[in-house]
Amino acid sequence: MSDLRMVCPCLLGVEGLVAEELRAMEARDVEPQNGRVLFCGDETILARANLNSRYSERVQILMGSFRAVTFEELFQGIKKIPWENWIGKQDRFPVKGSSLNSKLFSVPDCQSIVKKAIVERLRQRYRVPWFEETGALYQVQFLIMKDQVSVMLDTSGAGLHKRGYRANSMAAPIKETLAAAMVQLSRVRPDAHFVDPFCGSGTILIEAATYAMNIAPGLQRRFTAESWPSVPREIWMREKERAQSLIRRDAKFEGFGYDIDGAAIDLTIENARKAGVIARIHAEKRPVSEFRPDAQYGVVVCNPPYGERLLDTREAEKIYEEMGRVFVPQRGWNYTVISPDETFEEHFGRRADKRRKLYNGMLKCQVYQYFKAPKTT
């Protein structure tokens, strides 16, 4: 088993949640940074993080880190890394990356230098004139931030937000990783009575159900590193069995999704079936105006339409006003709403009990949480 330094890139604002879940997976030296979390572990932790992380975008091996302000420094820094420990003679190793606030700002030029340096290193080690690149995929990723270079190997393939249940979605869906973060922030329990009155394609509902039942988000998909000889197949099999054994099949979770679009309801049901949680999900066509907190306890989490996304601004504001009327403060109920609209509270009619900044892709949003019961006289 190797001792690997790894990194999980994530949406801005969820670094703390990623760090928390990695520690729970027994990762070591967990270090949250802006937009990513560093950690240590062996190949078992690599597989476990891919299968179980709800909030990360992917899992990467941190191959090296160094300062470079010239192409020569970049070339030499990359060439020093022992790429042969991972990449074989036949393997593919495409390069992509980004540069921010650095002297080396041309990404295509940096890509070319990184590729050239890796080829040079491998050519010397394998004593071959060229590489076919027909074998397993080793995606090389670099990030140059303030002249500091980080070089990674991606182990995930498709981003971890792609759970495998959402082949189709409505316009402007919320990312699965962000939906999962909202569910966690709402403290959804295994016996939750959960409602999303703007369910769209069912993403928030499904993430709540899988969270409450402790279903690992990666159980229905594959990962690039599953084809790597350096991560034995038995590790993946063992970790999948472990994840299956941790599912809370006795959880009493019930999710209720509503939407004014019948196609959205059909899609929610289809996606819930793919995710294996259809028995816990009820969905029907219904406007938010008909919402009532009609159980003793309940959790509402939603991503309402907003001006820039689906409606004009005034229509969105009318929806916020309606939400303020029907999301009644009530003991045992809490409401979590995500919106990029800074005037949301004004139209909703109440200031949030708690606000938190999160990003839906590049869009800055606020998560508004209402959980305080009305004062009794």
Side-chain angles (χ1 to χ4, degrees), residues 45-66:
I45 297 298
L46 182 155
R48 188 173 296 172
N50 270 300
L51 282 161
N52 293 281
S53 182
R54 294 185 191 281
Y55 321 114
S56 303
E57 293 304 308
R58 53 186 62 251
V59 179
Q60 300 168 328
I61 297 167
L62 185 60
M63 296 295 291
S65 185
F66 56 90

Side-chain angles (χ1 to χ4, degrees), residues 169-174 195-205 255-269 281-291 301-306 309-311 319:
S169 63
M170 303 303 290
I174 192 169
V195 185
D196 179 358
F198 305 96
C199 65
S201 54
T203 304
I204 295 175
L205 274 175
F256 299 84
Y258 307 114
D259 205 286
I260 57 169
D261 186 347
I265 299 305
D266 293 342
L267 204 45
T268 291
I269 291 167
I281 301 292
H282 314 273
E284 63 179 80
K285 187 175 175 181
R286 188 190 293 185
V288 70
S289 59
E290 292 182 15
F291 171 83
V301 179
C302 62
N303 174 33
Y306 53 84
R309 186 170 69 128
L310 300 174
L311 306 167
I319 288 175

Side-chain angles (χ1 to χ4, degrees), residues 329 372-377:
K372 290 181 180 175
K375 291 177 182 174
T376 53
T377 53

Side-chain angles (χ1 to χ4, degrees), residues 305-319:
Y306 53 84
E308 296 167 35
R309 186 170 69 128
L310 300 174
L311 306 167
D312 68 49
T313 305
R314 185 58 199 136
E315 276 187 273
E317 289 170 357
K318 283 180 185 173
I319 288 175

Side-chain angles (χ1 to χ4, degrees), residues 8-307:
C8 282
C10 58
L11 294 169
L12 287 167
V14 305
E15 298 90 348
L17 298 183
V18 173
E20 203 174 283
E21 67 173 357
L22 286 170
R23 291 188 188 104
M25 292 179 212
E26 301 176 357
R28 295 179 289 101
D29 303 325
V30 177
E31 182 190 338
Q33 297 181 346
N34 260 356
R36 66 180 196 171
V37 179
L38 300 176
F39 63 104
C40 290
D42 58 14
E43 289 84 353
T44 293
I45 297 298
L46 182 155
R48 188 173 296 172
N50 270 300
L51 282 161
N52 293 281
S53 182
R54 294 185 191 281
Y55 321 114
S56 303
E57 293 304 308
R58 53 186 62 251
V59 179
Q60 300 168 328
I61 297 167
L62 185 60
M63 296 295 291
S65 185
F66 56 90
R67 180 177 163 79
V69 295
T70 67
F71 288 132
E72 181 61 22
E73 286 175 343
L74 179 62
F75 182 89
Q76 294 302 334
I78 297 294
K79 193 179 170 190
K80 282 178 186 171
I81 294 169
W83 297 100
E84 66 278 3
N85 290 354
W86 294 94
I87 302 170
K89 284 183 193 178
Q90 309 299 322
D91 297 333
R92 294 173 286 153
F93 50 101
V95 175
K96 61 182 178 181
S98 56
S99 176
L100 297 165
N101 305 321
S102 299
K103 290 188 175 62
L104 298 176
F105 58 85
S106 169
V107 171
D109 286 341
C110 291
Q111 277 178 295
S112 177
I113 295 293
V114 170
K115 181 76 173 186
K116 188 177 174 185
I118 299 171
V119 167
E120 188 65 27
R121 169 89 188 197
L122 294 178
R123 191 182 283 150
Q124 289 175 3
R125 291 300 183 275
Y126 293 134
R127 303 192 182 285
V128 294
W130 64 288
F131 296 93
E132 291 179 11
E133 296 200 49
T134 56
L137 174 65
Y138 290 82
Q139 177 66 61
V140 179
Q141 179 92 32
F142 66 83
L143 170 65
I144 309 176
M145 174 93 75
K146 296 180 180 176
D147 300 324
Q148 189 68 22
V149 182
S150 299
V151 197
M152 288 76 63
L153 275 183
D154 176 53
T155 73
S156 302
L160 294 184
H161 67 281
K162 295 194 174 176
R163 320 292 209 204
Y165 64 76
R166 196 172 82 176
N168 302 302
S169 63
M170 303 303 290
I174 192 169
K175 215 169 187 183
E176 293 88 333
T177 41
L178 180 57
M182 289 175 64
V183 166
Q184 202 275 352
L185 293 171
S186 303
R187 304 193 184 284
V188 171
R189 292 159 39 131
D191 61 350
H193 176 95
F194 186 92
V195 185
D196 179 358
F198 305 96
C199 65
S201 54
T203 304
I204 295 175
L205 274 175
I206 293 165
E207 290 299 322
T210 55
Y211 176 85
M213 297 176 70
N214 201 36
I215 299 172
L219 271 175
Q220 291 194 26
R221 53 160 288 172
R222 292 186 62 79
F223 306 94
T224 296
E226 286 187 69
S227 65
W228 295 1
S230 47
V231 186
R233 198 171 164 193
E234 304 78 63
I235 287 178
W236 292 100
M237 289 171 63
R238 193 168 64 239
E239 284 304 307
K240 287 174 185 178
E241 285 169 9
R242 176 184 177 273
Q244 288 280 2
S245 74
L246 293 172
I247 294 174
R248 295 192 196 102
R249 300 180 196 279
D250 60 345
K252 300 292 193 288
F253 175 92
E254 272 196 293
F256 299 84
Y258 307 114
D259 205 286
I260 57 169
D261 186 347
I265 299 305
D266 293 342
L267 204 45
T268 291
I269 291 167
E270 180 189 337
N271 289 341
R273 188 172 286 115
K274 285 180 192 164
V277 294
I278 188 62
R280 311 306 182 102
I281 301 292
H282 314 273
E284 63 179 80
K285 187 175 175 181
R286 188 190 293 185
V288 70
S289 59
E290 292 182 15
F291 171 83
R292 299 290 181 272
D294 53 6
Q296 188 176 3
Y297 303 101
V299 180
V300 174
V301 179
C302 62
N303 174 33
Y306 53 84

